[in-house]
Amino acid sequence: MPSQRMGFEGLLEAVPDALVGVDESGVIRFVNRRAESLFGYAPGDLVGAPLETLVPESLRQIHVEHREGYCSARGVRPMGTDLKLSGRRADGSEFPVDIALSPMEAGSGRLVIAAVRDMTDREEADKERERRNRLSAVVESSGEAIISSTLEGIITSWNPAAERLYGYSSQESIGKPTGSLIPDGRTGELKAIMDNIRAGRTVESFETECVRKDGTLFPASLSLSPICATDGTVIGSSTIAHDVTEQRKAFGTAQLMEAVIEFSGEAIVTTTLDGIITSWNQAAGKLYGYSCDEIIGQSGRRLSPQDRRQEFGEALARIVAGDHVQILQTICVRKDGTDFPIVLTVSPIRDKDGAIVGASTISRDLTEQREAVDAARSMIEASLDSLVAISPEGRITDANEATVKATGVPRNKLIGTPFSNYFTDPVKADKIHQRVFTVGTAVNYPLTLRRQDGQLTEVLYNASVYRDAAGNVLGVFAAARDVTQQIRAQKEAAAQQARELERLAELERFQRLTVGRELRMIKLKKEIEYLRKFGPNRGGEPNDER
C-alpha cells in the first residue's frame, strides 16, 4: 500500500496540470504541488478545505449547485468546452481557468478529480489575436490609405484605399520601396521623417507631394507612427496618407472668403446659436467701436440697448426654426454708448452635413438714410401742396400737413381711408389712381376737394407710381395744387373781358351813327353848293338894289 501511495503521489506530481481531488461533500482531499502553486497556497493548506475556497465569491452559491448536479450524474468532462470559468487565488485575485472533471473510486468513497489549467496566457493571446484581426479589418475597410513599411522603407502592407489613392495594387506595391511614392527632389523629406520614426516619434500631418502610378502628382498629408515590437523596439512605420487637393481648394476659397469678409465695407459678424460672437471684421470694429479682442467671445446682445436685447435672440430662434434670412430693423449701441438706427440681415451658418451651427449678421448703419428720410419728410411737410400716398386699393397710406389743412381731418384719421372720400365726385377721383397704375402718371387732373366743413377747393392733381428697391410698385404718390384763386381770377378776367367787349361794341355802334350824320351833312352841303350855282343873282344876294 505505501508503494501504491507513493506511486499515486508521484503520478499527481508528474501531471503538468493542477489536480484537485474532492469528495462528494465538496471537501478537498488531495492536491498536487502545481495546484498549490497555481492558487497560491502553502503545502497542506488546501487539504480539508471546501472546494468553493478556490471559486470567486460571486460564483460560490451557483458552483455548489453545479457540483451537486455533477455528483448526481457523474461523467468525464474534458477541457475545451468553451465554458467561461474562473478561479480564485489565496490573495483574492481571480484568473481564467479551464477544468476537466473525472470521477474516481477510492477506498474512502467516491472522489472527483479536477484538472485545472491557467488560461491567462491563452486568453491574452486570443485577445491579442482578436485585436489584430479587428485592426486588420479596420485597416482593410478604412477609407484612409494606410501603408506599413520597415525602417529601411520597404512596404509590408497596403490596404485597398492606398490602391485607390496611388493606383498600385497590393501585389505591385508590397516589397517595393516607399521612395517610389515620392517625386524626385523630395527624398530628403522621407529621410528626415524616418529619422523621427527611428527615434520613436510620431509625425503628424506632414504636407508634401506624392506621385501616382500614372505619374501624376498630388498634394498629400502624411501622418506616420512607429511600429514597435513587444519589447518596445521600433521595427517599422505606419503611414496614413490623405489626398488634400480638395482641402487645399477649399482652404484657398476659405482664405479668399475670409479676406473678402475682413476687408468688406459691410460690418459682418458671426455668432453661435446662443448669440456668442465668434468673428468680427474691420468694418464691424469701425461701426461699433470694439476691437476683435474686446468683443469675440462676448454676447451679441451687448450691442443692443437694454429694451431691445430680445430682438436679436428672437431672430436667432427663427433662424434655428428654419427661416433662411431674417431682416431686422432696430437700434444698436456703440462702445461709447451712443445708439444708432441699423438694419441687420441674419443668415444661418451650416456645417458640412447641413446642420445649422451659427448665424452670420450683416449690419448696415441707417443714420444717413434716416437723416435723408427726415430731410425728405421735412420738405414734404413744408410743401404748400397737398401730398398723399395711395395704396393699390385706393386708400391713403400717408399724408402731409397741407392735406390735413385742406381736408380738415387729422392725419391719423386720414390714414387708411379711401382717397375718393374727400372729393365732390368720388368716381372721378377713383379714376386718377386707377389711371396712374395703368399709364404710370397723371398730369393736371382737375378735382374738387370737399373740406370736412363743406368748403370746396379746386385742385389739379399730378401723380405717379412709386416703387421699392426691386422695382415693385408699392402705390401712387399724388400732389394736389389749390387752383381756386386762379380759377376765380380767370373767371373775373373773363367777366371783365366780356364787359369790355360789350363797351367796345357800344362805342362802335355810336361811331357808326356819328359818322353817318357827318356824311349826310357833307352831302347836304355839297347839294346846297351845287344848287347855288343855278340861282338868279350870281353876283349878289337876292333883292339887292344898287
Side-chain angles (χ1 to χ4, degrees):
M1 289 295 292
S3 63
Q4 290 179 346
R5 175 96 180 158
M6 290 298 294
F8 178 69
E9 290 179 354
L11 181 63
L12 288 179
E13 298 303 332
V15 175
D17 291 321
L19 296 180
V20 179
V22 184
D23 64 18
E24 290 182 319
S25 62
V27 175
I28 298 172
R29 293 304 178 187
F30 62 82
V31 294
N32 65 357
R33 291 178 184 174
R34 175 64 181 150
E36 291 171 334
S37 174
L38 178 62
F39 287 95
Y41 286 90
D45 285 353
L46 284 174
V47 176
L51 176 61
E52 279 68 33
T53 303
L54 307 179
V55 177
E57 291 183 4
S58 61
L59 301 175
R60 287 177 180 174
Q61 182 59 43
I62 193 169
H63 184 269
V64 171
E65 296 174 4
H66 288 171
R67 175 173 54 77
E68 291 174 351
Y70 176 81
C71 289
S72 64
R74 297 184 180 198
V76 176
R77 190 189 75 187
M79 290 187 180
T81 57
D82 291 331
L83 294 175
K84 299 295 182 182
L85 304 175
S86 297
R88 183 179 186 276
R89 296 188 178 94
D91 61 6
S93 62
E94 298 178 8
F95 61 101
V97 296
D98 195 2
I99 301 174
L101 300 177
S102 174
M104 174 183 174
E105 295 291 338
S108 56
R110 294 179 177 178
L111 297 176
V112 175
I113 298 176
V116 183
R117 186 173 295 169
D118 185 352
M119 300 299 290
T120 301
D121 292 341
R122 181 174 175 181
E123 190 169 283
E124 289 298 326
D126 289 343
K127 288 181 180 178
E128 177 64 18
R129 185 165 51 254
E130 184 179 352
R131 186 186 70 81
R132 288 175 182 267
N133 289 340
R134 283 199 305 267
L135 181 60
S136 177
V138 168
V139 170
E140 285 299 304
S141 62
S142 173
E144 310 280 2
I146 303 176
I147 305 163
S148 63
S149 63
T150 66
L151 291 177
E152 291 73 31
I154 302 302
I155 297 171
T156 55
S157 72
W158 183 267
N159 74 342
E163 181 175 340
R164 292 192 295 271
L165 180 61
Y166 290 97
Y168 294 100
S169 67
S170 58
Q171 291 82 0
E172 292 174 306
S173 57
I174 291 176
K176 298 294 193 307
T178 54
S180 62
L181 308 177
I182 304 295
D184 295 339
R186 287 185 176 268
T187 53
E189 294 177 349
L190 184 59
K191 182 180 181 303
I193 290 173
M194 293 311 296
D195 286 344
N196 278 288
I197 293 298
R198 288 187 181 91
R201 293 188 291 268
T202 59
V203 177
E204 295 285 345
S205 303
F206 181 78
E207 298 262 334
T208 185
E209 271 192 324
C210 288
V211 60
R212 295 186 175 92
K213 180 180 178 180
D214 62 8
T216 57
L217 301 178
F218 65 96
S221 175
L222 307 180
S223 294
L224 296 94
S225 303
I227 298 174
C228 298
T230 55
D231 62 358
T233 304
V234 177
I235 58 175
S237 70
S238 172
T239 303
I240 298 176
H242 296 274
D243 181 350
V244 294
T245 302
E246 294 302 321
Q247 290 92 322
R248 284 195 179 179
K249 287 180 181 177
F251 182 69
T253 302
Q255 283 187 313
L256 176 61
M257 289 302 299
E258 185 177 345
V260 168
I261 290 171
E262 181 61 24
F263 298 106
S264 171
E266 305 279 5
I268 302 175
V269 181
T270 60
T271 65
T272 65
L273 294 179
D274 297 326
I276 302 302
I277 295 170
T278 54
S279 73
W280 182 267
N281 72 346
Q282 292 183 17
K286 291 178 183 177
L287 180 61
Y288 291 97
Y290 293 97
S291 68
C292 289
D293 293 338
E294 290 174 312
I295 201 68
I296 289 179
Q298 302 295 319
S299 172
R301 290 175 175 82
R302 73 182 300 174
L303 304 177
S304 300
Q306 193 70 34
D307 60 343
R308 287 180 174 263
R309 291 190 172 180
Q310 80 285 354
E311 293 179 346
F312 185 63
E314 291 169 355
L316 286 178
R318 288 192 290 272
I319 288 294
V320 173
D323 288 358
H324 181 61
V325 174
Q326 284 294 309
I327 297 177
L328 175 64
Q329 197 161 339
T330 184
I331 300 295
C332 282
V333 61
R334 295 186 176 91
K335 180 180 177 180
D336 62 9
T338 58
D339 55 24
F340 60 101
I342 198 167
V343 62
L344 304 177
T345 303
V346 187
S347 306
I349 298 174
R350 300 178 184 272
D351 63 14
K352 62 180 181 180
D353 299 319
I356 298 173
V357 295
S360 171
T361 302
I362 299 175
S363 307
R364 294 186 181 90
D365 188 352
L366 296 181
T367 302
E368 291 184 1
Q369 290 158 280
R370 182 66 60 84
E371 290 173 351
V373 169
D374 291 344
R377 188 74 205 187
S378 297
M379 293 174 63
I380 290 171
E381 293 300 334
S383 174
L384 298 177
D385 292 337
S386 168
L387 304 177
V388 292
I390 309 166
S391 72
E393 296 75 31
R395 294 185 176 274
I396 296 173
T397 57
D398 198 3
N400 68 345
E401 187 61 27
T403 306
V404 172
K405 291 179 180 179
T407 60
V409 179
R411 191 197 313 271
N412 63 334
K413 292 186 177 180
L414 279 170
I415 304 298
T417 60
F419 171 72
S420 59
N421 281 5
Y422 302 96
F423 300 92
T424 57
D425 190 344
V427 175
K428 185 179 179 182
D430 265 334
K431 287 181 180 178
I432 182 174
H433 99 273
Q434 294 170 2
R435 173 183 173 82
V436 174
F437 277 115
T438 304
V439 180
T441 60
V443 179
N444 291 336
Y445 192 89
L447 289 171
T448 302
L449 182 70
R450 179 188 288 115
R451 187 179 162 85
Q452 194 176 34
D453 59 9
Q455 178 183 335
L456 301 180
T457 304
E458 300 298 330
V459 294
L460 289 178
Y461 263 100
N462 291 284
S464 64
V465 294
Y466 65 95
R467 306 172 187 271
D468 62 15
N472 301 310
V473 174
L474 298 178
V476 170
F477 187 75
R481 177 150 295 181
D482 183 353
V483 292
T484 304
Q485 295 298 330
Q486 181 181 343
I487 291 175
R488 184 178 298 135
Q490 288 175 348
K491 288 179 178 179
E492 290 178 356
Q496 178 65 26
Q497 185 179 19
R499 288 193 296 272
E500 290 176 353
L501 288 173
E502 185 178 351
R503 175 61 177 163
L504 177 61
E506 183 180 346
L507 290 174
E508 287 176 344
R509 287 195 301 274
F510 177 76
Q511 183 182 24
R512 284 195 297 272
L513 290 174
T514 303
V515 170
R517 283 196 298 272
E518 288 178 352
L519 289 173
R520 283 195 295 273
M521 288 297 294
I522 292 171
K523 185 176 181 181
L524 180 59
K525 286 182 179 181
K526 285 183 178 180
E527 289 178 353
I528 293 172
E529 288 294 329
Y530 178 77
L531 291 174
R532 282 180 177 174
K533 291 179 181 180
F534 301 99
N537 296 318
R538 295 173 67 92
E541 295 293 329
N543 301 321
D544 184 12
E545 294 182 358
R546 294 199 179 250

